Amino acid sequence: MALFDLRLKKLDQDIAHASSYQAYQEACLSHDEISGAEAWKADDASDDYDYILIQKRVQRLKIARGNGDMHALMSIIHEGLHGNLGNIANPAIRRKCKMGTKYLIVQFIEEVKLALDQIYQANEDDVDFYEKLSFFEETAHAFGRSCLMLSGGAGLGFFHCGVVKSLNEKELLPSVVSGASAGSIIAALVGTRTHDELLDALSAENIYETFKKWRSWAGFGKNSLFDSTALENALISLFDLTTFEEAYKKTRRHVTVTVSPADLHQHSRLLNAKTSPNAIITQAVRASCAVPVVFSPVQLRAKTPAGDIVPYIPNRRFADGSLMADLPFDRLARLYGVNHSIVSQTNPLAVPFIQSARINPQSLWGLSTRHVGQLLKSNSIFAIDIIENMTDNKGAKLTIHKVKSIIDQQYVGNINILPKQQIRNLTQVIANPSLESINALIVSGEKSTWPQLDVIEKNTKISESLRYYLGKLKQREAVELGHSAY
């Protein structure tokens, strides 16, 4: 490998300063060609995954496809298809090149997709309609799907705009999206805007005009330090009285907003078209953004079938979603069959402690650091439990409980997109944004997403194909049964 080739240094600079994804991609591929990584991709063998298993699976799929044997294809897919078959999603594989992965892995994913195409299009004298429907239902459920989770982050949350913008432009936005606190604003935009509408909604100019004065000082001795009027008006202008069910019918995206209770004996809630179809998105987002002390907690609202606006969960108020459910992966898994997560993480309480060496440690130092971090977390939770049990004051008990929930959360996913750690980020957490700061955060979000686009495309290609064909079959079933196919 040409490790000391001066051309590689030049390409490293081109990669770091690329102004578009196309320029970034071209520089990465050129780097792989010169460094020898391209030759590495072409060699099936590697200790990082079970290449022999994948070779055999590709061969079996090819033979069955060539013979037009639909039942053999269905059997091969049924018996072992999952997102990390043979450890093909091992992060260590991605470290060997700037872009892409082993060609064998790419070939396997493509063979599975071709097999799914062929099964869907099969003559129904060979595979009848309900056999197809059953196959795609069972396989989609077993294989799972990806979700996008947008963390809290106050003013840093505009970073999510760049992440979503990159995914949307490449048509890689997962259909399951969650947002907490500032992330709930961007998640709600995803849930209420079509592909083309998002292109406009996520521009720096539009974001700035909407949120340029979202914080105004209220003063001490009030319910909160900041007046929420400007934020509420901004959210109303974006989402009006749209409910979660209405948003889903428009975009077909499963969008969740997380909120935390403002009292002690309640758990965080996930608001979406399944759990709270008639809840109004505006109030859900306003509640999720209600950082304690900074903004006052919120009474949720819902829309009746007659169009009247009524309280939702009366006598309860809710606050910042990131306090207890910044990344609600486990509950999204139960609701939507999610088993793979893409995380855009801007939470200032988490980002400084998240490093790639801790997420996927390879060295002895990395493994040791992660282990020590886990021990500190466990010991801290134990200590807080003791303090909470010894405290009788209700207000103090609630505060201690919130602190524990912050420490006890998981702040990373399978794919993690993080902003660069810079001191100036701290100043953007509580300040009103400028057009320049929003544009910088959006560009940062885009550039941080570029290294992940290739792997996201590969990770989602099979699940999206499964759900696309399942949706087509369900639409056809609905039409034949005389039901609505929305």
Side-chain angles (χ1 to χ4, degrees):
M1 296 177 71
L3 295 178
F4 302 105
D5 193 314
L6 292 177
R7 292 175 296 174
L8 294 180
K9 290 186 177 181
K10 171 63 168 60
L11 287 167
D12 283 332
Q13 292 295 315
D14 291 343
I15 291 169
H17 299 102
S19 59
S20 68
Y21 180 66
Q22 182 178 352
Y24 172 85
Q25 185 179 43
E26 289 173 357
C28 285
L29 292 175
S30 296
H31 194 289
D32 285 346
E33 185 66 42
I34 295 171
S35 70
E38 206 64 37
W40 174 86
K41 295 178 198 176
D43 181 7
D44 293 350
S46 172
D47 293 334
D48 293 324
Y49 75 115
D50 191 342
Y51 66 92
I52 295 176
L53 171 65
I54 302 303
Q55 285 174 335
K56 289 180 179 178
R57 196 56 57 95
V58 168
Q59 184 180 34
R60 290 178 63 195
L61 287 167
K62 278 186 172 181
I63 292 171
R65 278 203 314 110
N67 293 335
D69 190 339
M70 297 301 103
H71 289 94
L73 280 177
M74 292 163 73
S75 176
I76 294 167
I77 290 174
H78 260 313
E79 72 185 28
L81 181 64
H82 59 82
N84 197 22
L85 180 69
N87 209 21
I88 62 174
N90 184 355
I93 299 175
R94 294 174 54 204
R95 297 193 184 99
K96 305 292 175 62
C97 53
K98 292 291 184 182
M99 179 163 286
T101 186
K102 289 284 189 180
Y103 292 150
L104 176 63
I105 295 175
V106 176
Q107 185 182 19
F108 167 70
I109 294 170
E110 191 59 32
E111 278 297 327
V112 172
K113 186 177 182 304
L114 290 171
L116 296 176
D117 296 344
Q118 197 163 344
I119 292 167
Y120 174 77
Q121 295 166 5
N123 190 309
E124 293 189 359
D125 290 335
D126 299 323
V127 184
D128 70 36
F129 171 79
Y130 283 102
E131 192 175 2
K132 286 183 186 180
L133 180 61
S134 176
F135 166 80
F136 280 102
E137 279 184 329
E138 292 171 3
T139 308
H141 177 75
F143 189 82
R145 65 166 95 179
S146 295
C147 68
L148 173 65
M149 295 188 288
L150 309 176
S151 76
L156 292 177
F158 298 119
F159 173 88
H160 299 316
C161 294
V163 175
V164 170
K165 183 180 176 185
S166 286
L167 293 172
N168 186 55
E169 287 174 350
K170 295 297 178 183
E171 298 190 347
L172 293 175
L173 264 178
S175 57
V176 178
V177 181
S178 76
S181 196
S184 70
I185 299 173
I186 314 306
L189 280 172
V190 172
T192 56
R193 266 67 176 173
T194 63
H195 174 275
D196 291 341
E197 289 171 343
L198 268 181
L199 296 176
D200 294 328
L202 294 173
S203 71
E205 292 75 17
N206 281 341
I207 296 295
Y208 172 69
E209 286 301 321
T210 304
F211 293 104
K212 59 185 177 183
K213 295 181 179 178
W214 73 333
R215 291 176 179 83
S216 60
W217 181 254
F220 296 106
K222 305 288 182 66
N223 291 332
S224 60
L225 294 178
F226 288 88
D227 183 356
S228 63
T229 303
L231 174 60
E232 289 170 355
N233 289 338
L235 297 177
I236 290 169
S237 71
L238 289 175
F239 311 120
D240 196 25
L241 297 176
T242 304
T243 66
F244 283 95
E245 183 177 51
E246 290 168 346
Y248 174 71
K249 287 180 179 180
K250 176 182 177 180
T251 66
R252 311 303 290 177
R253 295 194 183 104
H254 303 281
V255 170
T256 290
V257 170
T258 66
V259 295
S260 300
D263 50 20
L264 183 62
H265 300 293
Q266 293 289 315
H267 298 287
S268 61
R269 288 181 178 269
L270 270 59
L271 305 173
N272 53 52
K274 281 194 173 186
T275 62
S276 47
N278 299 319
I280 293 172
I281 290 176
T282 295
Q283 292 303 108
V285 173
R286 166 66 181 85
S288 193
C289 291
V291 180
V293 182
V294 177
F295 288 126
S296 58
V298 174
Q299 163 73 66
L300 300 176
R301 303 288 180 186
K303 187 190 295 185
T304 68
D308 298 323
I309 307 304
V310 297
Y312 183 76
I313 315 178
N315 304 319
R316 297 288 182 192
R317 290 183 176 273
F318 293 87
D320 190 350
S322 65
L323 290 177
M324 300 181 74
D326 199 41
L327 306 177
F329 179 78
D330 289 341
R331 282 187 280 177
L332 291 179
R334 290 195 294 271
L335 283 168
Y336 299 113
V338 164
N339 61 0
H340 178 269
S341 60
I342 303 161
V343 170
S344 179
Q345 179 57 268
T346 62
N347 193 320
L349 298 175
V351 169
F353 305 100
I354 299 174
Q355 301 172 6
S356 59
R358 292 188 185 183
I359 298 171
N360 298 301
Q362 297 293 307
S363 66
L364 179 60
W365 172 254
L367 288 166
S368 301
T369 302
R370 186 174 71 172
H371 181 62
V372 170
Q374 290 171 341
L375 286 175
L376 288 172
K377 179 176 178 178
S378 298
N379 290 336
S380 298
I381 293 169
F382 175 66
I384 291 172
D385 279 338
I386 292 175
I387 295 170
E388 186 178 352
N389 284 329
M390 295 173 62
T391 302
D392 294 325
N393 181 274
K394 184 177 179 181
K397 206 175 185 73
L398 177 60
T399 301
I400 293 168
H401 187 71
K402 299 294 188 189
V403 171
K404 180 180 125 177
S405 69
I406 291 171
I407 295 174
D408 198 25
Q409 292 187 57
Q410 177 71 20
Y411 289 100
V412 297
N414 299 105
I415 294 174
N416 300 283
I417 303 171
L418 311 172
K420 289 184 178 179
Q421 295 187 22
Q422 299 174 323
I423 296 297
R424 70 178 183 181
N425 286 352
L426 296 177
T427 66
Q428 295 174 315
V429 171
I430 59 172
N432 278 321
S434 66
L435 179 58
E436 291 75 19
S437 69
I438 288 180
N439 188 65
L441 282 169
I442 292 175
V443 170
S444 175
E446 289 182 275
K447 289 191 171 186
S448 298
T449 308
W450 291 346
Q452 309 292 350
L453 288 177
D454 183 69
V455 69
I456 290 171
E457 180 181 14
K458 289 178 175 59
N459 283 345
T460 58
K461 183 173 283 188
I462 292 174
S463 63
E464 290 304 311
S465 292
L466 283 166
R467 294 189 181 277
Y468 172 75
Y469 287 135
L470 177 59
K472 299 281 282 184
L473 291 167
K474 283 187 171 293
Q475 284 180 348
R476 179 178 157 194
E477 180 187 41
V479 170
E480 291 181 357
L481 294 175
H483 297 160
S484 169
Y486 83 81

